[in-house]
Amino acid sequence: MPLALLALAIGAFGIGTTEFVIMGVLPEVAGDFGVSIPTAGLLVTGYALGVVIGAPIMTALGTKVSRKRMLMLLMGLFVVGNLLSAVAPAFGLMLVGRIVASLAHGAFFGIGSVVAAELVAPEKKAGAIAMMFSGLTIANVVGVPLGTLIGQSAGWRVTFAGVAALGVIGLLGIVKLVPEMPKPEGVHLRHELAAFKNVQVLLAMAMTVLGFGGVFAAITYIAPMMTHVTGFADTSVTWLLVLFGLGMVGGNLIGGRFADRALMPMLYVSLGGLAVVLALFTLTAHNKILAALTIALIGALGFATVPPLQKRVLDQAHGAPTLASAVNIGAFNLGNALSAWLGGLVIAAGLGYTAPNWVGAVLSAGALVLAVISAALERRAGATVAAVSAPVEQRTTVHN
């Protein structure tokens, strides 16, 4: 794998830390600003919606500059947003800082996925994408638990200041390691937009929304769920997030490996397994050992969907994949925002801290249904092409 993938993974590490660390310090942030847990959950929803909005806008703006320069600008924006969160005197301003940082998220992973795929041979594209996303998964093993620990001991503001420093390191890595990769000649914004006419691209994005949304339905409220329902101490949340991160690392590697071999079967297994495990989490959340194992499985099954879904979008949007790739990252976060909001609703309705697990199970099951539909449509399209081509081939043979 090219060294440039390391630079992309470093940037992904910083972004992954800021995206997920808020879950570990959610009670501290809520207490400091005097808001409820569901209200503090808006910091998750707001970030996710910022990714959804920022992905297409920032990517469109980036069509005028080289991909390396755009990645540098995005990391700079990320640093500014996290610094704003760190010094915010009021909840509303912190929410603004989260949104500013989130504007860089979708375009970074979207453009980064295209760059990663172009650095390797065609049969290794999913593996290269998984390599870049490994920064995000490792963030959940190192960055998020460490950030949570710092937030609980030194204060959450120190956590976000540290995340801003990670962004600076990521920026320097891009400057030093990523080669200049100018925008391909002849590819304009209208070509990028044309990819959205492909129903398979839209289905892949819908699977992304529902599939990873299922993960966030449960994980957004993991801190109050584990402390109030399972009986873990507040300090144990850090190590539970480590388990979630380890699961993500494993799922990312497995998803990247098998997506290059059997993409759709990989999606069937991961989405189906995720729906079952999320449903069971409602029960296993009442036992410390089973809850810990379930959290690791949610991370593994959830992130096993990421490389295959990202590769499927790149394959279906062949020729002009940058915008579609970025929008698919936005789709991940649209699912995050939807599930965090729905999870907050069921908690606020008095259904308890385990109720979001059922929300996640339903969302993931919906993604599995879409995967089956997508494969069926693809087979039908292939059969139609074969039927049309056969008479032409027969006439050519007779003529010869």
Side-chain angles (χ1 to χ4, degrees):
M1 290 291 179
L3 190 60
L5 290 177
L6 175 61
L8 296 176
I10 292 171
F13 180 87
I15 292 175
T17 300
T18 202
E19 180 181 18
F20 292 103
V21 76
I22 186 63
M23 300 168 196
V25 298
L26 201 64
E28 286 74 20
V29 173
D32 196 16
F33 287 122
V35 299
S36 66
I37 290 292
T39 298
L42 292 175
L43 294 171
V44 178
T45 304
Y47 185 95
L49 290 177
V51 177
V52 175
I53 296 170
I57 293 176
M58 300 305 293
T59 304
L61 292 174
T63 58
K64 302 297 183 182
V65 300
S66 71
R67 287 169 178 164
K68 176 177 179 175
R69 184 177 295 274
M70 192 60 195
L71 289 172
M72 292 165 56
L73 292 172
L74 291 168
M75 287 309 298
L77 185 63
F78 171 81
V79 171
V80 170
N82 281 285
L83 284 176
L84 183 58
S85 293
V87 301
F91 179 80
L93 193 57
M94 184 183 181
L95 181 58
V96 171
R98 292 282 293 169
I99 292 173
V100 169
S102 72
L103 295 176
H105 185 127
F108 181 88
F109 280 107
I111 296 172
S113 293
V114 176
V115 170
E118 290 183 353
L119 288 170
V120 298
E123 68 275 10
K124 296 182 179 180
K125 286 186 176 183
I129 294 170
M131 175 65 181
M132 182 193 70
F133 275 97
S134 68
L136 190 152
T137 59
I138 293 173
N140 284 272
V141 179
V142 180
V144 173
L146 182 60
T148 300
L149 186 62
I150 291 172
Q152 292 174 343
S153 57
W156 59 267
R157 294 183 187 277
V158 180
T159 296
F160 282 96
V163 171
L166 284 175
V168 173
I169 296 172
L171 175 59
L172 293 175
I174 292 169
V175 172
K176 294 292 185 180
L177 300 176
V178 174
E180 288 289 348
M181 300 183 72
K183 181 175 68 72
E185 294 295 330
V187 176
H188 303 287
L189 184 58
R190 65 177 181 273
H191 298 122
E192 299 279 356
L193 291 171
F196 296 96
K197 296 179 181 179
N198 186 338
V199 67
Q200 290 292 356
V201 171
L202 299 179
L203 281 171
M205 291 179 178
M207 282 184 263
T208 297
V209 170
L210 298 179
F212 210 71
V215 174
F216 256 65
I219 298 303
T220 296
Y221 302 99
I222 187 173
M225 188 193 311
M226 292 298 98
T227 54
H228 288 81
V229 176
T230 315
F232 281 108
D234 291 343
T235 53
S236 298
V237 174
T238 299
W239 310 113
L240 292 171
L241 289 174
V242 170
L243 287 176
F244 177 66
L246 287 172
M248 290 176 69
V249 172
N252 180 58
L253 294 175
I254 293 171
R257 181 178 182 85
F258 285 97
D260 281 321
R261 302 179 181 181
L263 192 150
M264 293 309 293
M266 184 68 232
L267 285 177
Y268 297 152
V269 172
S270 55
L271 290 172
L274 182 60
V276 171
V277 169
L278 283 168
L280 289 175
F281 197 22
T282 306
L283 301 175
T284 61
H286 295 275
N287 180 280
K288 290 184 178 180
I289 295 176
L290 293 179
L293 291 174
T294 305
I295 288 170
L297 281 174
I298 291 172
L301 292 167
F303 227 84
T305 68
V306 175
L309 283 171
Q310 195 69 5
K311 182 177 184 293
R312 186 157 180 82
V313 169
L314 291 176
D315 290 344
Q316 298 297 330
H318 179 70
T322 307
L323 183 59
S325 176
V327 171
N328 194 51
I329 299 299
F332 278 105
N333 286 270
L334 178 59
N336 298 348
L338 174 65
S339 60
W341 175 67
L342 291 173
L345 283 183
V346 294
I347 291 173
L351 299 179
Y353 285 120
T354 62
N357 299 332
W358 283 111
V359 173
V362 171
L363 292 174
S364 298
L368 176 60
V369 172
L370 291 181
V372 173
I373 293 173
S374 177
L377 291 175
E378 195 167 41
R379 287 194 299 270
R380 183 181 300 175
T384 301
V385 171
V388 171
S389 300
V392 174
E393 293 175 356
Q394 291 171 3
R395 288 196 299 270
T396 302
T397 302
V398 172
H399 178 73
N400 290 337

